[in-house]
Amino acid sequence: MDVSRETLKDITICKIAGDININNAAQLRKLFEEIYKEGARKVVIDLSSLNYVDSSGLASFIEFLQRLTQAKGILRLSGLSDKIANIFEVTKLNTIFQVFENVERAKEGI
Amino acid sequence: MSEFRYQIKSVLDNVLALVEELEANWVANGLDKDTVFALRTAFQEAVVNAVKHGNKQNPKTTVDIIYRLSDSQLEIEITDEGEGFDYSSLPDPRNKDQIMKLGGKGVFMMKKFMDRVEFIGKGNRVKMVKLRNLEGASKMIEDILVFKPGDEINANSTGKLRKVFDEIINSDKKKVVVDLSGIEYIDSAGLAILIEFFQRLQKNSGKLHICGLSSKISKIFEVAKLNSIFKIYDSFEKAYKGF
């Protein structure tokens, strides 16, 4: 898993590439915690280079969504490949996450 | 049929190494991308569960994996040394009260990405099957046609279903297993089409065996008194061997 991030105005864009699995899900949780503690409340996650996510990875996303929602923040996901989108659809997580085609779209009106 | 056996120590790193090894094996055996992705998802969730929840990551314990590959299907059996768990009453993680929960998604993903998932005994063993080259989710195993419909059988999907059933009748299949394990709901239109198919098959001296009924679907069958006309089996194995 490779992570990069940038902040544009008040929007934090975080790109996660590679595989998210049981071995690095904890690292991801830590990253999300950091972003939250830095005060970011509008977050776009770019998943266009994400190859794989398992249930522990999904849990990290849900946890982050809960935190941001509680703080009246916004979390948006973007650029899901068909495979990743399928995982979100099968688990119906596409009903709780805001999912966008790409980062540009996700940034609009956030 | 080829059989592969693996034993790994209950260390999470070993799981991912094995997943990579098997993925290569699947690709080498000509499985298509979607099948490989589905297998990987289910397999990884299952072995992680075995290591993490079953064996509590105790490196002195092991997880045994048997993997069988034939022309028609892949079967994976995973056994840990743990206490098992109550697999009879797992909530649906898609439900409103469950969707935000961090846990409980893994087993569900296994079920969704495989054609059959069966926990055995106290729950420390799981057997998963993926049918190969799913053409309209049906597959011949010897002279038996196995058909597994998608999510729901209702007024919207009966047209598609009728086409499949027409095909089955027209191609003169005599032994048919309808596996309903992927079905969450069936309405009266769905039941009607199933009855019609059953009658047509019977007229053609064919036999229909049904399996994979959830407790919900089971009740619907009972209420409609269909359990007395259909041959219903509590596992795919029994339905398949029942001919």
Side-chain angles (χ1 to χ4, degrees):
Chain A
M1 181 181 71
D2 285 314
V3 178
S4 61
R5 62 178 156 131
E6 55 175 338
T7 304
L8 296 168
K9 293 179 193 162
D10 60 342
I11 306 171
T12 300
I13 297 158
C14 174
K15 181 168 181 159
I16 305 167
D19 288 11
I20 305 175
N21 56 46
I22 189 83
N23 276 3
N24 57 30
Q27 191 189 331
L28 188 65
R29 286 178 67 181
K30 229 171 144 186
L31 169 81
F32 288 156
E33 204 176 307
E34 250 174 58
I35 294 175
Y36 180 86
K37 281 188 176 151
E38 284 166 11
R41 292 298 178 264
K42 292 179 182 177
V43 181
V44 173
I45 301 181
D46 179 359
L47 297 178
S48 58
S49 299
L50 185 69
N51 179 47
Y52 187 76
V53 59
D54 73 354
S55 63
S56 63
L58 295 176
S60 316
F61 284 121
I62 296 168
E63 193 181 42
F64 194 31
L65 176 68
Q66 286 171 345
R67 282 195 116 171
L68 279 173
T69 309
Q70 266 167 26
K72 300 211 178 347
I74 299 169
L75 175 65
R76 290 181 170 180
L77 307 181
S78 68
L80 282 66
S81 68
D82 288 350
K83 281 178 188 169
I84 304 294
N86 186 24
I87 290 180
F88 276 80
E89 277 155 24
V90 156
T91 51
K92 291 247 157 85
L93 289 175
N94 59 340
T95 62
I96 58 167
F97 284 99
Q98 297 183 36
V99 179
F100 292 81
E101 207 180 321
N102 52 45
V103 173
E104 290 314 306
R105 282 279 161 79
K107 274 158 54 185
E108 283 169 17
I110 194 171
Chain B
M1 189 187 75
S2 8
E3 185 177 289
F4 305 84
R5 283 170 182 263
Y6 302 86
Q7 186 175 62
I8 58 164
K9 282 185 185 161
S10 298
V11 176
L12 288 170
D13 278 332
N14 293 349
V15 177
L16 297 170
L18 179 62
V19 167
E20 269 180 35
E21 190 179 329
L22 280 187
E23 207 174 342
N25 182 310
W26 295 328
V27 173
N29 276 290
L31 299 181
D32 62 277
K33 266 186 185 171
D34 289 346
T35 304
V36 169
F37 184 77
L39 280 170
R40 180 201 167 158
T41 302
F43 182 72
Q44 190 167 316
E45 294 292 338
V47 184
V48 165
N49 277 349
V51 166
K52 199 179 158 193
H53 303 299
N55 289 343
K56 316 277 180 216
Q57 297 190 59
N58 175 356
K60 285 180 186 153
T61 63
T62 54
V63 175
D64 284 290
I65 294 124
I66 307 173
Y67 147 51
R68 298 180 190 96
L69 180 69
S70 71
D71 291 340
S72 59
Q73 66 174 45
L74 287 100
E75 185 183 296
I76 303 171
E77 204 175 300
I78 298 157
T79 309
D80 64 56
E81 298 183 48
E83 294 305 309
F85 72 109
D86 179 11
Y87 49 86
S88 64
S89 59
L90 297 172
D92 187 331
R94 297 171 303 175
N95 288 346
K96 275 210 172 103
D97 61 328
Q98 300 290 327
I99 189 103
M100 290 297 269
K101 290 205 171 148
L102 304 185
K105 316 265 188 226
V107 170
F108 180 78
M109 283 163 72
M110 286 157 56
K111 288 179 178 169
K112 278 290 170 185
F113 283 101
M114 298 297 278
D115 290 299
R116 284 195 298 284
V117 173
E118 197 182 341
F119 288 96
I120 296 164
K122 58 185 182 177
N124 67 323
R125 173 174 295 172
V126 63
K127 199 161 125 184
M128 310 192 289
V129 173
K130 182 88 183 160
L131 303 178
R132 294 182 70 172
N133 309 322
L134 293 165
E135 282 170 17
S138 76
K139 186 71 206 164
M140 288 301 290
I141 303 177
E142 289 165 26
D143 62 337
I144 300 168
L145 179 88
V146 180
F147 174 60
K148 192 178 174 195
D151 259 344
E152 295 183 339
I153 302 182
N154 55 35
N156 292 328
S157 61
T158 46
K160 222 165 97 189
L161 208 55
R162 179 168 279 130
K163 266 188 198 155
V164 174
F165 286 156
D166 282 346
E167 275 299 309
I168 295 174
I169 299 286
N170 291 341
S171 59
D172 210 30
K173 300 281 185 305
K174 303 286 188 204
K175 298 175 183 173
V176 181
V177 174
V178 172
D179 182 352
L180 295 178
S181 57
I183 298 291
E184 320 276 353
Y185 181 70
I186 185 164
D187 70 358
S188 58
L191 290 176
I193 201 163
L194 212 54
I195 294 167
E196 190 197 333
F197 174 59
F198 173 64
Q199 289 169 337
R200 289 174 71 192
L201 197 62
Q202 239 182 358
K203 232 185 235 171
N204 201 26
S205 49
K207 283 179 181 166
L208 172 66
H209 290 183
I210 296 177
C211 68
L213 276 64
S214 69
S215 53
K216 222 194 244 171
I217 304 282
S218 234
K219 255 187 211 126
I220 295 175
F221 273 61
E222 262 173 53
V223 169
K225 295 233 159 47
L226 292 176
N227 51 346
S228 59
I229 70 158
F230 286 133
K231 281 204 157 177
I232 296 168
Y233 295 83
D234 56 13
S235 76
F236 172 80
E237 251 70 31
K238 285 180 191 164
Y240 173 73
K241 285 178 184 152
F243 285 108

